[in-house]
């Protein structure tokens, strides 16, 4: 597949607006802004574009909920709070082709009738923030943002809002709270942001990668977009691969590329030709897949059918030397730390799971602990107001089920028998 | 009703109004759903997740506290859903893993929703084998409130109360996840005047009140309904009494008065942790210039003969005797003292020492209180600061504004409520009357605040203390009311002023110009009605009160004064007023403890303190609220009614109504609001608003 989203990222100086424009940035604005908003929305619907943030919700449908009476002010929010461990796919766009995102926001804002856009960027992405903020400034100077974009009569204002380092703010309603200046905690739903979102107004929240597709759909049409990927998941997809592979990094492939192809062919396989023990296919909120699942196609439906989640495209590979209990503990440490604390099951449950896993890893495991871990997870599952807790238990449930013997060995042998390197890494 | 919603909960069909939450719908038919964060007066936050229920066609369990009913909804609670039962048990287990389980030493133990609901819905034991989370504790959040963060289950009721109801968002959650805790902003404190409510609504023992903590267990004290005597709001309360000592005060919700909230001034007026000044338990009589303890009979005899000598000396005009009564004297005491002074001593010199009287009521002003604020779509406060003077009405106004009422302020625009006002005009002193006059003119002219007010349909006008004493201002308000009472607009105007029972004092006729039931003393027919009930004649000349009463004493006109529960000498008096107190031939003081006035007295009677009395108080909205003694008076101490009856007996006065029941019946014949208080018991008998 020819690169689409990443095709300009290797051009030096793409963050500078002159270079960007010379290389095609904002080239689709004229065409897109010339379309009626409803037609643009239809085009995106027809393309089959689905959200790249993890949930895979059809983008056009989401826009449709918020588009409506043009007199009601509404907002477009770009979720650039890329904080899922193992996920770094939006970063190349933010740092190396920021004008693509701005062009995408202008077009998307036009489609839903939003004159204001917010880019909520992860606090730790300091470089990306500086680059993006400068890009916005330049776009204003050149008339790509503001009251009357390139004489089209369309208005679009854009604000870059920097997060303060909380994973939960990637959850869309916590993100809105954070922009509004409040404690970053998810809101109870309903109402959904499409009806009551930022500052109480209808709001569309899209991932960076999702939006980045829009200018190309405008340029080349829905049919072209659907020619890539699978029937239910069209278009290109960014995968970020980390862990035990020879060539970790961000790759743009068609939706539906098999996991084995990604690891073996694209990423050059596992170092030392070791056996793959487990793969997390879509960020640490996704369940572990085992070696038997390597032929799964990387799209929403196929990964779900394999018992995990396509998620953000953050693929983490573990090999035979990696301790699954230690990896699960490491993930749970993350969730315990990042749970916002609003809902009881998430706040207390992640604390309990972390401590129980820690005890097992350190040699204090008891035979009844495995049933306990699963039951704690069951008491968390689906019982809090946002998906963080459900993501947090995926690693526990899948690792206990798929790698039960390894847990039992920990309990039997009074601790972790894997190489000191792994044990050390987990405790770090 | 056509717009009602029918749903099914546990197989039972339930009909409720739209907007009802599942938890309330279930509660309406007695189906209990466990809850911690839910509170009927707060916006649901749905954080404790203990009220999860199963709803048909919804894949996940959903919080019953935050989910409104919809037509045809089929809900299953723990009674019919194993999934729900397990979830609720799981939530309670989660809440308990880090909870210290120090119930045996916790103030909440015995009245603790976490304890109760663990017993009812929780697992029998715990599977938690790890270390509990630890916090530094206890930590003071403000002058009255401390927090034990280990007990806290982060239900956010306190945060929500301070944010939504008190509108003093002084506490919030800080840090994240299991590390999070309730705190003030750095360097700030929880000094809201309503902070005590957070202790009451805390469903665990995390928040404790400094004055009560570690003092008692809930099963040791008796809960007695009473009325808060700290201001004219008349909040309904319970006293918690153990061994004749009041340990604390708690709310007893009455939607017509207090909505179940109390201010800190009222709640923390009871401070068992602080030493109380010594009580007076023996009558004192001035002998050779010094107050000496004497017997009750001796003191009564002394006072009676002194009064008679003065009042009945030949050639003495009417009004040589006067009386001053203080706040938190009861209606019955005020009535009886007024009646004795008028009938036995031909004096109308009755001065209530507890803030402005509500005499304005007869000048076209109706009583205005909480229900009127609820009713209003537009509220004008004239030189009034309810946040300071009538705190529970401050909450009521905030509630009205939240529900869409518009607030206008005329007077001091730096008061707290001004920040909620849509229209403010700064005026003070003589400018006030002029400003009111201008607003009245602006009503037909449709400009300024006049236009603002006249765009309302249901308008409440409330005058503060100083405004109500300014005759020009009052008359201008009268004009404003008539200007507004047109074009289908309704106006209710009243006084947001006066201390405890100021409204009762005038209603009881403890007033130089008014007889009981707001009968003017110069109204011959009205006076005859009172004389018929009393079988005695009443002097026709209006009496003296306040400063004129003391000044008249300074000129030797008033020679004897009966001071009941007041301490005028402790105020900053003019030299002339002070001279008045000094020149008195006989000063009788009834008081529960030594005061400056008592030190000047010829006779001092040890009187019951408020909590030792049975009687009634009348609140700012002229709602008469009856109460019974919470604790008995110390030995040797009598209530003011008893003292008055004893005095009357000693003086052989024609006082036929001695028993409290007879007295109440007589007052009811003369005062309509008082009579009404017999139809229902004080306030509402409803239990406190504390949620299960």
């Amino acid at each position: 597949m020819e690169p689409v989203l990443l095709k300009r990222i290797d051009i030096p100086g793409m963050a500078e607006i002159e270079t960007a424009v010379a290389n095609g940035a904002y080239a689709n604005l004229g065409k897109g802004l010339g379309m009626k908003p409803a037609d643009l929305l239809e085009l995106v619907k027809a393309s089959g574009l689905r959200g790249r943030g993890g949930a895979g919700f059809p983008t056009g449908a989401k826009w449709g909920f918020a588009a409506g009476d043009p007199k009601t002010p509404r907002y477009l929010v770009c979720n650039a709070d890329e904080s899922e461990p193992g996920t770094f796919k939006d970063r190349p766009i933010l740092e190396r082709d920021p004008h693509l995102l701005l062009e995408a926001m202008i077009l998307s804002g036009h489609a839903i009738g939003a004159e204001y856009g917010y880019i909520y960027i992860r606090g730790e992405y300091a470089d990306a923030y500086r680059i993006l903020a400068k890009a916005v400034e330049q776009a204003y100077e050149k008339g790509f943002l503001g009251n009357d974009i390139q004489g089209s009569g369309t208005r679009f204002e854009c604000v870059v809002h920097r997060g303060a380092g909380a994973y939960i703010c990637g959850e869309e309603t916590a993100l809105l709270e954070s922009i509004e200046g409040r404690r970053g905690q998810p809101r109870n739903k309903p109402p959904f942001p499409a009806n009551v979102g930022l500052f109480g107004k209808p709001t569309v929240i899209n991932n960076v990668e999702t939006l980045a597709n829009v200018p190309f759909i405008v340029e080349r049409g829905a049919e072209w977009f659907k020619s890539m990927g699978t029937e239910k998941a069209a278009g290109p997809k960014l995968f970020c691969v980390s862990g035990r592979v020879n060539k970790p990094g961000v790759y743009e492939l068609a939706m539906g590329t098999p996991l084995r192809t990604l690891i073996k062919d694209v990423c050059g396989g596992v170092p030392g030709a070791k056996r793959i023990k487990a793969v997390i296919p879509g960020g640490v909120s996704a369940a572990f897949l085992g070696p038997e699942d390597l032929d799964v196609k990387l799209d929403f439906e196929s990964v779900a059918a394999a018992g995990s989640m396509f998620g953000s495209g953050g693929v983490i590979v573990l090999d035979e030397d990696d301790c699954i209990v230690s990896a699960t503990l490491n993930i749970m440490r993350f969730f315990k730390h990042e749970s916002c604390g609003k809902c009881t099951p998430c706040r207390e449950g992640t604390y309990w799971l972390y401590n129980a896993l820690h005890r097992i890893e350190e040699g204090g495991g008891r035979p009844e602990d495995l049933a306990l871990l699963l039951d704690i997870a069951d008491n968390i599952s689906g019982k809090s107001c946002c998906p963080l807790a459900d993501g947090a238990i995926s690693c526990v449930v899948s690792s206990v089920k798929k790698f039960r013997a390894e847990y039992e060995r920990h309990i039997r042998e009074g601790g972790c028998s894997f190489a000191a390197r792994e044990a050390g890494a987990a405790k770090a | 009703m056509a717009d009602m919603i029918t749903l099914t909960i546990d197989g039972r069909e339930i009909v409720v109004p739209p907007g009802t939450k599942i938890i309330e719908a279930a509660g309406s038919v007695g189906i209990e759903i466990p809850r911690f964060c839910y509170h009927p007066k707060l916006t649901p936050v749905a954080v404790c997740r203990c009220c999860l229920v199963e709803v048909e066609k919804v894949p996940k369990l959903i919080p019953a506290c935050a989910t409104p009913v919809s037509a045809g909804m089929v809900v299953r609670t723990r009674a019919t859903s194993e999934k729900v039962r397990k979830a609720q048990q799981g939530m309670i287990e989660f809440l308990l893993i880090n909870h210290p389980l120090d119930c045996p030493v916790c103030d909440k133990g015995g009245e603790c929703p976490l304890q109760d609901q663990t017993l009812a819905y929780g697992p029998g034991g715990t599977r938690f084998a790890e270390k509990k989370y630890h916090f530094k504790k206890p930590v003071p959040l403000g002058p009255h409130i401390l927090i034990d963060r280990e007990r806290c289950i982060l239900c956010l009721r306190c945060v929500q109360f301070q944010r939504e109801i008190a509108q003093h968002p002084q506490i919030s959650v800080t840090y994240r996840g299991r590390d999070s805790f309730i705190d003030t902003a750095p360097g700030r404190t929880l000094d809201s005047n309503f902070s005590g409510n957070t202790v009451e609504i805390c469903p665990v023992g995390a928040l404790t009140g400094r004055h009560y903590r570690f003092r008692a267990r809930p099963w040791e004290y008796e809960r007695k309904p009473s009325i808060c005597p700290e201001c004219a709001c008349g909040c309904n309360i319970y006293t918690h009494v153990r061994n004749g000592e009041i340990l604390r005060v708690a709310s007893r919700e009455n939607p017509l008065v207090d909505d179940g909230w109390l201010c800190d001034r009222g709640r923390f007026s009871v401070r068992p942790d602080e030493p109380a000044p010594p009580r007076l338990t023996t009558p004192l009589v001035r002998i050779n210039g010094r107050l000496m303890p004497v017997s009750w009979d001796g003191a009564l005899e002394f006072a009676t003969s002194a009064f008679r000598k003065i009042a009945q000396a030949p050639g003495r005009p009417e009004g040589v005797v006067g009386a001053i009564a203080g706040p938190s004297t009861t209606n019955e005491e005020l009535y009886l003292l007024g009646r004795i002074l008028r009938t036995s001593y031909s004096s109308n010199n009755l001065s209530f020492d507890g803030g402005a009287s509500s005499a304005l009521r007869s000048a076209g002003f109706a009583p205005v209180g909480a229900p009127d604020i609820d009713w209003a779509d537009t509220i004008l406060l004239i030189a009034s600061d309810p946040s300071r003077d009538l705190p529970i009405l401050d909450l009521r106004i905030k509630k009205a504004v939240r529900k869409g009422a518009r607030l206008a302020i005329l007077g001091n625009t730096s008061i707290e409520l001004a920040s909620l006002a849509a229209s403010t005009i700064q005026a003070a002193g003589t400018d006030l009357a002029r400003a009111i006059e201008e607003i009245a003119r602006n009503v037909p002219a449709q400009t300024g605040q006049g236009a603002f007010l006249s765009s309302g349909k249901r308008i409440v006008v409330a005058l503060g203390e100083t405004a109500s004493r300014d005759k020009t201002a009052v008359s201008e308000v009268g004009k404003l009311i008539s200007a507004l009472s047109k074009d289908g607009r309704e106006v209710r105007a009243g006084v947001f002023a006066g201390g405890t029972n100021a409204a009762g004092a005038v209603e009881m006729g403890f007033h130089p110009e008014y007889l009981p039931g707001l009968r003017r003393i110069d109204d011959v027919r009205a006076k005859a009605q009172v004389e018929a009930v009393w079988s005695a004649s009443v002097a026709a000349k209006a009496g003296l009160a306040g400063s004129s009463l003391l000044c008249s004493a300074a000129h030797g006109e008033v020679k004897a004064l009966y001071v009941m529960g007041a301490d005028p000498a402790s105020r900053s008096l003019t030299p002339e007023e002070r001279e008045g107190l000094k020149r008195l031939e006989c000063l009788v003081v009834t008081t529960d403890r030594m005061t400056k006035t008592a030190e000047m007295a010829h006779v001092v009677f040890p009187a019951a303190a408020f909590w030792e009395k049975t009687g009634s108080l009348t609140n700012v909205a002229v709602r008469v609220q009856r109460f019974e003694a919470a604790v008995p008076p110390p030995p040797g101490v009598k209530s003011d009614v008893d003292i008055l009856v004893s005095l009357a007996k000693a003086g052989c006065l024609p006082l036929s109504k001695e028993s409290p029941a007879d007295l109440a019946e007589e007052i009811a014949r003369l005062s309509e609001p008082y009579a009404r208080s017999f139809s229902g018991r004080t306030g509402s008998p409803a239990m406190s608003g504390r949620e299960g």
Side-chain angles (χ1 to χ4, degrees), chain A residues 183 188 348 351 379 383, chain B residues 45 49 86 98 175 178:
Chain A
R183 186 176 162 80
N188 290 315
E348 305 293 340
Y351 176 85
N379 284 345
K383 294 178 186 66
Chain B
V45 287
R49 314 304 282 185
K86 179 174 188 294
N98 283 305
Y175 288 84
R178 188 48 266 179

Side-chain angles (χ1 to χ4, degrees), chain B residues 552-620:
Chain B
S552 156
H555 302 138
E557 286 149 21
V558 169
K559 295 179 186 301
L561 200 57
Y562 189 92
V563 176
M564 178 171 73
D567 186 14
S570 68
R571 287 201 320 244
S572 58
L573 296 173
T574 63
E576 192 181 8
E577 289 167 345
R578 195 161 293 282
E579 177 62 23
L581 278 176
K582 281 187 194 152
R583 264 198 78 176
L584 287 166
E585 288 174 25
C586 180
L587 172 61
V588 176
V589 173
T590 75
T591 179
D592 58 345
R593 50 196 45 133
M594 219 42 208
T595 61
K596 287 204 167 126
T597 312
E599 279 163 12
M600 301 170 74
H602 300 93
V603 184
V604 181
F605 290 115
F610 177 78
W611 303 112
E612 295 150 13
K613 300 192 225 191
T614 292
S616 65
L617 293 176
T618 303
N619 83 352
V620 65

Side-chain angles (χ1 to χ4, degrees), chain A residues 165-168 182-183 185 188 190 336-349 351-352 355-356 359 366 369 371-372 375-380 382-387 390, chain B residues 44-50 52 60-61 63 66 83 86-87 89-91 93-95 97-98 126-134 152-154 156 163 173-180:
Chain A
Y167 171 71
I168 191 60
R182 287 200 286 268
R183 186 176 162 80
Q185 281 193 331
N188 290 315
K336 177 192 71 115
H337 183 63
E338 294 295 347
S339 165
C340 78
K342 178 174 174 174
C343 300
T344 303
C346 181
R347 178 184 70 237
E348 305 293 340
Y351 176 85
W352 193 355
N355 281 284
R359 181 163 49 74
R366 308 162 306 180
D369 281 337
L372 178 62
D375 196 57
I376 297 170
D378 182 57
N379 284 345
I380 295 172
K383 294 178 186 66
S384 43
C385 90
C386 88
D390 289 328
Chain B
V45 287
V47 301
C48 79
R49 314 304 282 185
C50 288
L52 292 174
K60 286 190 193 176
L61 301 180
K83 212 167 137 190
K86 179 174 188 294
Q89 211 170 61
M91 290 314 117
E93 187 182 28
F94 281 142
L95 288 178
I97 64 169
N98 283 305
T126 182
R127 300 174 291 173
F128 185 69
E130 327 304 329
K131 273 195 186 141
K132 284 182 189 273
Y133 198 100
H134 287 298
C152 177
I153 57 167
L154 293 161
L156 306 183
R163 178 156 51 205
V173 184
T174 187
Y175 288 84
R176 201 168 61 199
R178 188 48 266 179
D179 302 325
S180 56

Side-chain angles (χ1 to χ4, degrees), chain B residues 23 33-35 38 48-53 62-66 88:
Chain B
I23 204 168
I33 297 175
R35 79 285 300 266
Y38 170 79
C48 79
R49 314 304 282 185
C50 288
C51 69
L52 292 174
V53 291
I62 56 172
C65 71
Q88 288 175 349

Side-chain angles (χ1 to χ4, degrees), chain B residues 203-452:
Chain B
V204 294
L207 295 171
T208 49
R210 184 185 297 285
H211 312 292
Y212 170 81
R213 62 200 309 261
F214 308 146
R215 209 151 287 274
R217 313 313 310 273
W219 55 85
E220 295 172 342
Y221 54 69
E222 218 182 320
R223 249 166 37 129
K224 296 186 176 181
S226 188
I227 302 296
C228 176
E230 287 297 314
C231 80
C233 288
C235 294
N236 293 197
I237 56 171
Y238 283 111
T239 53
H240 291 176
V241 179
R242 184 184 62 184
N243 300 335
E245 187 194 5
I246 303 178
L247 297 171
R248 69 174 168 182
V249 160
S251 71
R252 177 169 60 98
E253 179 172 5
N254 183 342
L256 297 173
V257 178
D258 50 45
D259 261 349
W261 308 120
L262 295 178
C263 73
D264 284 3
R265 183 176 7 138
R267 184 187 300 272
F268 298 127
S269 64
V270 168
R271 298 186 178 188
D273 60 327
E274 290 176 11
R279 285 293 294 268
L280 205 57
T281 53
T282 322
L284 306 172
V285 167
R286 191 167 296 278
I287 301 168
N288 298 329
R290 282 183 61 199
L291 283 172
M292 305 295 283
V294 295
S295 71
W296 270 98
D297 286 345
L300 288 167
E301 169 60 32
F302 188 99
T304 312
S305 63
F307 262 63
R308 281 166 89 183
K309 209 171 84 196
I310 292 162
Q312 290 160 13
R316 283 275 157 85
E318 292 174 349
V320 291
V321 172
I324 298 175
S328 77
T329 46
T330 67
N331 287 327
E332 293 73 16
E333 292 160 355
L334 291 164
Y335 174 85
L336 196 56
L337 178 54
R339 184 190 197 284
I340 290 173
L341 221 71
R342 293 192 204 269
T343 58
S344 302
Y345 296 99
S346 305
S347 172
N348 292 322
N349 295 336
L350 300 169
S351 177
F352 183 72
D353 207 4
S357 77
S358 320
L360 294 166
R361 276 175 60 205
S362 59
F365 290 80
V368 167
D372 306 293
I373 296 170
D374 294 349
W375 162 87
D377 64 10
T378 305
I379 300 163
L380 170 64
L381 297 178
I382 301 178
S384 167
D385 184 3
S387 317
R388 187 193 62 200
D389 301 329
L390 301 159
I392 287 302
L393 291 185
D394 156 275
L395 291 192
R396 207 61 170 231
I397 292 169
K398 286 169 177 168
K399 179 178 163 191
V401 172
R402 282 199 300 279
K403 292 193 166 176
R406 304 170 316 141
L407 178 65
I409 303 270
L410 171 61
N412 182 354
T413 53
S414 61
I415 63 170
E416 184 192 336
L417 284 174
S419 63
L420 302 180
S423 163
T424 57
I425 294 177
Q426 171 75 37
T430 48
D431 285 349
L432 194 65
R434 215 173 306 136
I436 301 167
E437 191 265 325
E438 192 185 324
I439 296 167
R441 263 192 290 113
N442 282 341
V443 171
Q446 284 296 301
T447 54
Q449 211 169 49
F452 177 82

